[in-house]
Structures are given as C-alpha cells and as structure tokens.
Amino acid sequence: MTEPVLSVSDLTIALPEDGDRANAVTSVSFDVKPGEVLCLVGESGSGKSVIAFSCIGLLAKALKVQSGSIKLQGEELVGVSEDRLRDLRCTRIGMIFQEPMTALNPVMTCGDQIEEVLLEHTNYSAAERRTRVLNMIEQVHLPDPDRMYRSYPHQLSGGQRQRIMIAMALILEPVLLIADEPTTALDVTTQAQILKLIKELQGEKQTGVLFITHDFGVVAELGDSVAVLRQGELVEKDTTHKVLSNPQHPYTKMLIASVPKHEPPERKLIPESNKLVLKTEGLFKRYVTNTFSLGRQEVAAASDISIEIRKGETLGIVGESGSGKSTVARCVTRLIDISDGKVLISGEDIAKKAQRDLGDMRRKVQIVFQDPYRSLNPRRTIGQSIIEGPMNYGTSRKEALSEARELMSLVELDPDGLDRYPHQFSGGQRQRICIARALAMKPELLVADEAVSALDVSVQKQVLALLEDIRNSMQLAMLFITHDLRVAAQVCDSVAVMSNGKIVEYAAAKELFANPQHEYTKSLFEAAPGRHFKFAT
Amino acid sequence: MWAYLTRRLLSVIPVLLVVATIVFLMLRLTPGDPAANIAGDAATTEDIAKLRVELGLAEPLPVQFGIYIKNLVQGDFGESFYYKRSVISMVADGVGPTLSLALFTIVIACLVAVPLGTLAAYKQGSWLDRTVMGFSVVGFSVPVFVIGYVLIYFLSVKLGWFPVQGYQPINEGIVGWAYRLILPSTALSVIFIALIARMTRTSVLEVLNEDYIRTARAKGLASRKILLKHALRNAAVPIVTIIGIAIGILISGVVVTESVFVIPGLGLLTLDAIQGRDYPTVQALIILFSVVYVVINLVIDLLYTLLDPRIRY
C-alpha cells in the first residue's frame, strides 16, 4: 500500500456566525495517492473550494478549521506555522486557479512570475533559473518560450495563461497539485487541451491531483476517483467509473441525470406556416479603430449573418468566446448599432432605425442575460423591476402588479416575493426573475444570452425546462446563445455554429448533432468533455 | 509614442492662449487701478492719468490685448509696474526657493504617506490603520498656516531647534538650505500626507483582494514580498495620479506657506503682485503655473506606461 500524498480525515471547517449553515465542511475524509487524480465534485456552495484552500493553508480569515486533520505525506498541516506552510507551497503543493485572466499579476512578465518561485525556494543562479523556466514553458507546450518569457499576461490568450499558471505550479515538481476549476473559464477546445496537459504532466511525475470541478464531463475525462460533496458533506466516494455509471446516493444520481445529453430529444417540427418573427439578411457588425500608429483598422465581429426564427421555434447560436455570438444577440436587440444588412422583426426592418423610433420593437424583443447576479438592480425590489417595463408602455400599476404575480407563479416562485430584493434570492431564482421580467413585456422574441451558463447543473436543468415550457405555452420565438453544445442540444430546434464572426454551419439540431459537416463543428464535438463516457441514466 | 507626445505638447498652445486671455480679462475686470496704487495717496488725478499712459493702461482694452498677445508670442512678458524689472527675471529669482519648497514637500509627503497607507491597508482594522486614518482626517481639516504657526511656536520659539523664518539658497550650502526648509515643508506636507496615505490605503486594499495576490501566496511568498512586489506596483496608478493632483494643489499651498515662513519664492511674489495689481507679473505667473500643470499631467500619463504594461499610447 503506497502512502497517500494527501490524507484528509474528519475535516470540519466552521462558517462565520452569520453563514447560511453552521459548517462550510463537515467531517470530510479522503485520500489522494501518488499519481491519482481525485475529482471533488459539487455545486456552488458545496464547500469544494474551501477544502482545496484549506489543504494549502489559504483559507479566508473568517473560516477556521474546527477539527480533523490534513496530512501531506504524513505531515500534519492543520495548526502548522505560516512559515512552514510557505515552505511547502509550490515546493510540495502546487495550486492552479479558475480565472487565468486575473490569477496572474498584470504588471509582471510571465517569465518573472514563474522565476519568482525559484527565487523564493531555491538557490539556483540567475542563468540556471532562466534555463529552468524556459524549459518548463516548453514542457507546458507553449510556442516560442523566449517570447513567452518576456510577455505580459494580457498579451496571451486564456489557454496560454493557464499554461503559464501550470508551469508556475509544477516547476518544482510538487507531490500534490490542487486545481480549483482550472478549465471552467475556458472554451471547450482549450479546456480539452489543458486537461490533456494536466494529465500528461501529472502522469510523468506521478503527481497526486486534487481536482475541483462542477462538471461531470471533466470528471469522466480526467478523474481516477470522484468524491461528491453536498452542502459540505461527502455523500459518495469511489472510482470514477463506478460513480458515473452506477451512482449510489440519490444526490449523485440527480446530479448525473442533470448533465445535459449530447443527443437532442425528439421534437415537433415547426410548421412552415408559422409567422417569421426574426429574419436577418447579411447582417454585419464592424468595429473600426483609429490609432495614430496603425491607422484605420477594421474588425468584423459578425459578418454576413442570415438567420430565421419562426413563432414557437428556438434557434441556438453556438460558439466559443470571441466567435461573435453575443454580438449577433446585441445587434438583433439593437443594443448596439448595426453596420450593414437587415434585421426584420415580424417583417419590419429595424436595422437602421433611430433609437427613439425603436419603442415598439423594444417591447417585442426581450433579453435575458448571463449573470443573474448583476442584471437586476440591487436597490429595487424585484416587483419594481418586473413592472417597470409594462408601466413604461402604459399599463396601469395595478394591472402590471397582478400580471407580475401571475408571472411569478409561472416561473415557479412565490408571488408574495415581489417586494423582496434580489440579494434575498439564489442564482437560479434570480434567473427565473429575469425571465419573468422579460415575459412581462409580452415579447414575440426572447433572446437568451448564455442565460443558463452561470447556473449549477441541477438548477440549469430546471431553468431549461422552464424556458421550454414557456416557449411551448406562449409560442415564443427564442434566440438561444450558448457556448455549451449539450445545452443547445436540449432546447434548440435548429442550431447555427459560429466561428470568427461567421456562421460555419446552420442546420436542424437533429441533423447537426447526428452528422456534423464542418470541420470546426466536428472539433467542438470532439473537445466536449466526457462525450465518450456512458453516464448512468 | 512619439506621435502621442508631439500631440500632447502641441495641445499646450491652445491651453496657454485660453489661460492668457482669461487672466488678462480677470485682472482688468476686477476693481482696483494699478496706477492709483503706485502713485500713492498724495497723487493728483493728472499724476494718475499720466502714469496710466506710461503703463500702457490708457489704451482701449482690445488694443491692450493685442499688444499683450503680440509680446507673449515673442516671449516678452513685460516689465513689472513696481520694480521696473523684467518679469521674467523676477520669476526666475523666485523659482529656486519655490521649487525647493515644493520638491521637499512632495518628497516628504510620499516618503511618509505611501508606506503609512500601505501598512494601514495591510493591517486593516488595526490600531495602526485607525490611527493613520484618524490622522488623515485631521490632516485634511487643519489649514496650513495653523500648522505652520504651531510648528514655529513650539519648535522655533520655545525649543529653538529651527529658525523662525527665512530661506537660504542651495549654493550657499546644502545643509543650511535643507535645514531651513524642514519646517515649512513639514507644515505644507501634512495635507498631502493625509491625501496620499488615504489613496494608497484604498488602492492597496483593492489590490489585496485580487486573484493574483492569492496566486502569490500560493507560491509561498512572504507577506512583505507580496506587499512590495505584487500589491504596491499594481496599486501604483491611482497613487501616482493622486500625487500628480497633489503637486497641482501644492501651488496654492506654496503661496500661504511662503508668506508664513517668509520665503522669497513665487508664492510670495504672486501674493505681492495680486495685492499691488502688478498686471504683467500676475499674468506671467499664472501662465507659468498652467504650463506646470500641463507638464505634470503629461509626465503622469507617461509614468502610467512605465507602471502598467497594459497602458500604451
């Protein structure tokens, strides 16, 4: 029996007095063996990140380890001095974080940031440090190490930055790597590459990995074993294969069942006779920058976009970040001006209309944004937020309020909650409120811009079901923007795949998923984590 | 970069024209006649009228303005009504003391305020933090002349550690120069210490919550290194901005401080010139001050590019 690199036993971490439960983590035990990848899975608030941070001694001051032990190769970490922890960080425990955009210091070059680790923990000469850093940059498969060394973080892409993070964490070959959702903020194709890199490096050096994630696809791709957390308690722990194909605990079952499937379900055909609610013809959005040194430069964020949505139909636009999918959503809603082309809303071209003439269109087209935490005014009750739109269009306060109550029931919230403030609701509830707010305007077209991306899978499933219900009962036309193919498969009648501002493939969902034509679509499918894994149903 | 610099420098010209015009009009639209001032209480109306012609004040306003602008363009700021000396040479005499005072003040302010603010942020909520913040409220609210006289009373009059007033040029000995500047600079720096310390604290606090600070901790760096190497440099842009603003405000502080400590600098010159309605001197000083403002702003903007690689012009 090999000794585990990390052994957590009976760990309990208390939340501050005003927390929503007594403990962030309650008597959790698990081991990570050398060369093993243990995935810690849970929804937001399950305490998975708290465990990760406690293992490297970076818990927020408000959180205290109540009882239990954390042993690194047999050495107790609970209650050890800050100096000792500092010695261990990066030498024996490396850590990578979720946001590669903000986890690197913007005013230091990437090379210097990696070198800092050597400077702190070793006595290497300057020349030796440089060689080792360049070596490590090469090991994480970054092109042109010399240039990478000199680059600042903002000059690199998200995936490249995450590689720099990994280089930093692994340069001293720690026995344990803690990865806190390291691929969550990345595009699928980049995510696939980063997962492969982590697997490769940890396999070579037999590094133990504690991998925090909420995504069962990633678990299927990477994990040797899985531990499932709910509200700070470990509900199930076993090998990945066993847990994913034969979950025991009802919560695990529910989570796995919530993971959207790659195959689109059977759907009714949308009759050709249904009214065309949205039609764009040759839509272009160009951004022009005038700089002194470079002169006039033009970038097409969206080019030659022609799409159609009928009453009762959902069109999905799928693409990676920077593909132009949100640009299309903003053009269609005229939140930004359109450079060229036509946008017909129920037959009327709104592409070139002045903002003050868009009143009628503003009512017909409503949008639900990605982040439910930031898209509701925190200083207004949700009732005020919901009735503001209809009242602006002449509905009396009384009528708007009674409609708001009905809408609250429709989105499965308590109508009496109307006089509460957004912070009193959870993320999923807020997104329901945002949907109710959009529906209050009785729109013909509902644009959902990554509307379920910020939600946990179980909540995501519920919100998707709600959107589906509403579309059916109200016969709405829906434009559904998402980066997640699986989500698109669940709700869309047809799908347009965007890359570099262009639509590369546009087909009925069933056809597209069964038989993708374009190379880019195929590569997206290939990169989707856990695609080859047979999940329990 | 060079194109940017040229553009910024060229933009000084319209700014100066506007400033020159406004100063000219303000001086002539406010009551008070320099000729009557110079002529004194015993002068007759004829004497005053004669003086007005001599000073060039008898011409209609547009004509005066034309001559003024024409001379300005040629770099001629005119002659002081009182001292009958070229304004430029008078200003040149005052630059040394004022520059010394301003530099001394801003150096003291930065050396004290930046470490204090950083420490206060690092030890947020501690007695140190509360003391620094408490001091900064007091520092904001006490006028510089009060601080000046209190310092003079205790340190000069009672204890005799420092001279009460006066200035010694740097070429007569650097020690005497610095020694005589300590009191006035300290008095003047109090408000800037308050301002810069507060800004530093806020800025560092914000940076300390950033993800890359957590990354630095995960690397095993000690707090001191994190603070100096990662936090302070990222917090620098707002701090440098406030220092730039402080240098701007410093000009008004200099006027008061110079009169309290009788330092023969531009501040004292400005005060005399305004009281005596010495139009050419006031005009030259105001134009000089606005050049200083513009240059400080430009320097600050250029400093940003050094501090933050994401900022490029």
Side-chain angles (χ1 to χ4, degrees):
Chain A
M1 206 39 207
T2 45
E3 191 197 18
V5 282
L6 179 72
S7 174
V8 172
S9 55
D10 210 17
L11 181 69
T12 298
I13 299 171
L15 275 178
E17 296 277 319
D18 52 350
D20 57 349
R21 56 179 196 253
N23 292 328
V25 174
T26 313
S27 48
V28 164
S29 307
F30 60 84
D31 286 348
V32 181
K33 292 189 207 56
E36 181 190 8
V37 179
L38 173 71
C39 289
L40 211 50
V41 192
E43 300 194 290
S44 45
S46 61
K48 54 190 192 302
S49 289
V50 172
I51 295 178
F53 283 110
S54 68
C55 291
I56 192 168
L58 288 179
L59 272 184
K61 283 199 184 104
L63 299 174
K64 289 266 178 318
V65 174
Q66 199 89 341
S67 61
S69 99
I70 302 170
K71 287 198 170 111
L72 180 77
Q73 294 181 312
E75 180 182 350
E76 181 61 55
L77 297 186
V78 173
V80 80
S81 75
E82 180 63 26
D83 280 346
R84 179 65 190 145
L85 277 173
R86 268 214 319 272
D87 287 341
L88 293 174
R89 288 178 193 145
C90 248
T91 55
R92 282 163 67 197
I93 319 171
M95 182 151 186
I96 49 181
F97 301 94
Q98 174 169 358
E99 285 290 341
M101 301 295 166
T102 53
L104 292 172
N105 186 340
V107 303
M108 272 171 89
T109 63
C110 293
D112 285 348
Q113 295 190 53
I114 304 176
E115 190 195 348
E116 204 180 16
V117 175
L118 299 180
L119 212 53
E120 186 67 27
H121 297 288
T122 69
N123 297 319
Y124 295 144
S125 69
E128 194 168 355
R129 285 198 303 267
R130 194 181 154 81
T131 325
R132 282 183 181 261
V133 171
L134 288 174
N135 223 331
M136 194 66 214
I137 294 180
E138 224 173 279
Q139 276 188 53
V140 294
H141 307 302
L142 280 168
D144 200 351
D146 263 318
R147 187 172 59 84
M148 287 296 155
Y149 193 107
R150 276 179 279 117
S151 300
Y152 287 97
H154 71 275
Q155 294 166 323
L156 308 183
S157 70
Q160 288 175 326
R161 286 183 226 192
Q162 201 58 295
R163 283 171 196 269
I164 294 286
M165 268 308 293
I166 293 173
M168 203 187 288
L170 294 183
I171 190 162
L172 288 176
E173 301 182 7
V175 289
L176 176 69
L177 175 68
I178 300 173
D180 185 15
E181 305 247 14
T183 58
T184 306
L186 304 174
D187 285 324
V188 267
T189 45
T190 319
Q191 164 169 292
Q193 292 160 9
I194 295 291
L195 291 178
K196 202 175 135 211
L197 175 71
I198 292 177
K199 189 102 196 160
E200 175 192 323
L201 294 176
Q202 81 63 233
E204 272 170 27
K205 308 278 191 252
Q206 286 297 296
T207 317
V209 179
L210 179 62
F211 196 100
I212 314 296
T213 183
H214 66 280
D215 187 338
F216 276 100
V218 172
V219 174
E221 214 58 44
L222 190 73
D224 297 313
S225 41
V226 195
V228 182
L229 274 176
R230 185 185 60 176
Q231 302 235 317
E233 287 173 47
L234 208 58
V235 298
E236 187 161 358
K237 191 182 71 183
D238 214 323
T239 63
T240 300
H241 190 82
K242 275 193 194 153
V243 174
L244 295 194
S245 50
N246 186 20
Q248 298 301 311
H249 195 278
Y251 180 71
T252 318
K253 286 182 187 165
M254 187 277 288
L255 277 186
I256 291 177
S258 301
V259 177
K261 304 286 172 290
H262 275 276
E263 301 76 34
E266 262 328 300
R267 314 179 69 94
K268 277 204 297 271
L269 271 178
I270 307 297
E272 285 283 314
S273 58
N274 270 15
K275 185 174 102 169
L276 210 49
V277 177
L278 172 73
K279 183 180 166 69
T280 70
E281 284 173 22
L283 173 71
F284 277 90
K285 175 65 193 178
R286 300 185 193 92
Y287 286 101
V288 178
T289 50
N290 262 316
T291 55
F292 217 87
S293 43
L294 297 168
R296 194 184 140 92
Q297 283 197 318
E298 207 180 82
V299 183
S303 43
D304 201 16
I305 304 295
S306 300
I307 49 174
E308 286 182 5
I309 310 178
R310 291 179 188 281
K311 197 172 158 66
E313 180 185 3
T314 301
L315 168 69
I317 298 187
V318 178
E320 297 191 296
S321 49
S323 63
K325 55 189 193 303
S326 283
T327 304
V328 174
R330 284 178 206 148
C331 283
V332 165
T333 45
R334 277 299 302 275
L335 291 176
I336 51 176
D337 285 330
I338 293 162
S339 308
D340 235 325
K342 281 184 183 169
V343 175
L344 304 164
I345 303 282
S346 296
E348 191 186 357
D349 187 6
I350 56 132
K352 288 284 170 239
K353 276 196 170 179
Q355 283 293 341
R356 64 172 179 282
D357 298 329
L358 286 173
D360 192 36
M361 167 264 179
R362 289 262 173 260
R363 194 193 58 72
K364 286 187 197 159
V365 181
Q366 286 296 309
I367 186 161
V368 178
F369 295 98
Q370 171 169 2
D371 191 342
Y373 290 90
R374 292 190 303 181
S375 45
L376 287 167
N377 186 336
R379 306 241 183 281
R380 315 195 74 183
T381 65
I382 58 160
Q384 287 172 330
S385 289
I386 294 175
I387 64 171
E388 187 177 25
M391 281 176 63
N392 188 33
Y393 282 87
T395 314
S396 76
R397 188 183 174 82
K398 215 176 138 202
E399 202 178 326
L401 268 176
S402 83
E403 279 172 12
R405 292 184 67 89
E406 280 170 35
L407 283 168
M408 286 291 275
S409 324
L410 180 75
V411 298
E412 291 150 23
L413 290 173
D414 179 7
D416 292 333
L418 280 178
D419 47 10
R420 289 160 67 188
Y421 289 90
H423 71 267
Q424 295 169 292
F425 294 89
S426 70
Q429 288 173 327
R430 284 186 220 198
Q431 201 58 304
R432 288 168 191 272
I433 294 163
C434 290
I435 293 169
R437 189 211 55 76
L439 294 179
M441 300 292 284
K442 304 194 179 73
E444 294 176 19
L445 175 67
L446 185 65
V447 178
D449 188 3
E450 298 274 14
V452 297
S453 305
L455 307 175
D456 283 323
V457 272
S458 58
V459 182
Q460 184 179 62
K461 191 181 180 192
Q462 295 161 8
V463 172
L464 285 175
L466 172 69
L467 283 172
E468 189 81 349
D469 275 354
I470 288 165
R471 188 199 50 162
N472 289 336
S473 61
M474 297 181 149
Q475 283 294 298
L476 279 175
M478 188 145 56
L479 179 62
F480 195 91
I481 313 287
T482 183
H483 68 283
D484 191 335
L485 281 166
R486 297 172 297 184
V487 169
Q490 298 314 302
V491 292
C492 299
D493 297 297
S494 40
V495 173
V497 179
M498 280 190 78
S499 167
N500 289 327
K502 293 191 189 71
I503 292 180
V504 295
E505 189 162 357
Y506 185 8
K510 217 167 160 42
E511 277 169 46
L512 188 105
F513 280 89
N515 188 15
Q517 296 297 312
H518 195 274
E519 281 310 311
Y520 179 71
T521 317
K522 287 181 192 163
S523 72
L524 278 185
F525 279 34
E526 201 47 54
R531 199 175 61 95
H532 300 294
F533 200 89
K534 195 97 181 95
F535 286 96
T537 42
Chain B
M1 179 74 183
W2 291 110
Y4 172 80
L5 205 63
T6 320
R7 212 168 27 169
R8 283 289 300 263
L9 285 174
L10 285 178
S11 72
V12 174
I13 297 170
V15 171
L16 289 189
L17 270 177
V18 171
V19 170
T21 312
I22 291 175
V23 186
F24 178 87
L25 287 175
M26 294 246 291
L27 283 174
R28 274 135 187 104
L29 294 178
T30 42
D33 183 355
N37 260 352
I38 295 168
D41 293 343
T44 61
T45 329
E46 289 82 52
D47 290 340
I48 294 173
K50 204 172 131 220
L51 212 60
R52 288 178 65 82
V53 175
E54 267 176 40
L55 296 176
L57 296 173
E59 307 283 345
L61 261 188
V63 177
Q64 284 185 44
F65 185 69
I67 297 170
Y68 161 67
I69 292 293
K70 195 182 122 219
N71 289 342
L72 267 193
V73 171
Q74 292 165 349
D76 176 8
F77 286 85
E79 207 172 58
S80 159
F81 288 170
Y82 285 87
Y83 302 103
K84 299 293 167 201
R85 280 174 62 196
S86 108
V87 170
I88 292 199
S89 75
M90 284 169 55
V91 169
D93 287 347
V95 164
T98 300
L99 204 62
S100 307
L101 177 61
L103 273 179
F104 229 79
T105 306
I106 215 72
V107 168
I108 291 180
C110 293
L111 285 183
V112 176
V114 174
L116 269 188
T118 312
L119 273 176
Y122 180 61
K123 303 239 176 233
Q124 191 192 5
S126 67
W127 65 268
L128 182 97
D129 181 23
R130 282 194 292 264
T131 313
V132 171
M133 286 304 100
F135 162 81
S136 102
V137 171
V138 177
F140 271 129
S141 19
V142 183
V144 57
F145 64 85
V146 173
I147 301 170
Y149 285 128
V150 167
L151 287 180
I152 291 175
Y153 180 74
F154 284 106
L155 300 183
S156 305
V157 179
K158 286 277 171 190
L159 294 170
W161 290 355
F162 293 98
V164 176
Q165 296 173 326
Y167 172 78
Q168 182 185 326
I170 193 164
N171 51 17
E172 289 172 23
I174 191 155
V175 177
W177 168 80
Y179 181 53
R180 282 167 182 273
L181 277 173
I182 291 175
L183 270 201
S185 300
T186 309
L188 185 52
S189 66
V190 169
I191 187 168
F192 299 109
I193 293 175
L195 186 71
I196 298 169
R198 203 159 251 270
M199 194 65 196
T200 306
R201 177 181 178 270
T202 313
S203 185
V204 171
L205 265 185
E206 208 178 296
V207 170
L208 284 179
N209 283 323
E210 295 283 346
D211 288 350
Y212 50 79
I213 297 299
R214 190 183 56 189
T215 306
R217 291 186 64 203
K219 281 177 175 175
L221 297 190
S223 305
R224 186 176 45 88
K225 278 190 195 155
I226 294 176
L227 213 51
L228 294 180
K229 222 171 148 181
H230 291 269
L232 206 50
R233 173 120 186 255
N234 275 287
V237 166
I239 299 175
V240 167
T241 310
I242 204 78
I243 293 176
I245 295 172
I247 298 176
I249 309 173
L250 197 59
I251 294 173
S252 63
V254 162
V255 175
V256 179
T257 314
E258 286 184 359
S259 56
V260 170
F261 288 93
V262 197
I263 294 170
L266 297 179
L268 216 52
L269 185 62
T270 312
L271 205 63
D272 284 349
I274 291 174
Q275 278 170 350
R277 317 230 144 256
D278 193 351
Y279 291 172
T281 314
V282 178
Q283 284 160 358
L285 285 167
I286 300 293
I287 289 172
L288 174 70
F289 290 154
S290 44
V291 173
V292 171
Y293 271 111
V294 175
V295 171
I296 289 169
N297 271 312
L298 180 60
V299 170
I300 298 289
D301 283 349
L302 293 179
L303 269 180
Y304 289 163
T305 64
L306 287 183
L307 293 169
D308 191 336
R310 288 166 297 182
I311 302 176
R312 286 283 168 271
Y313 300 118

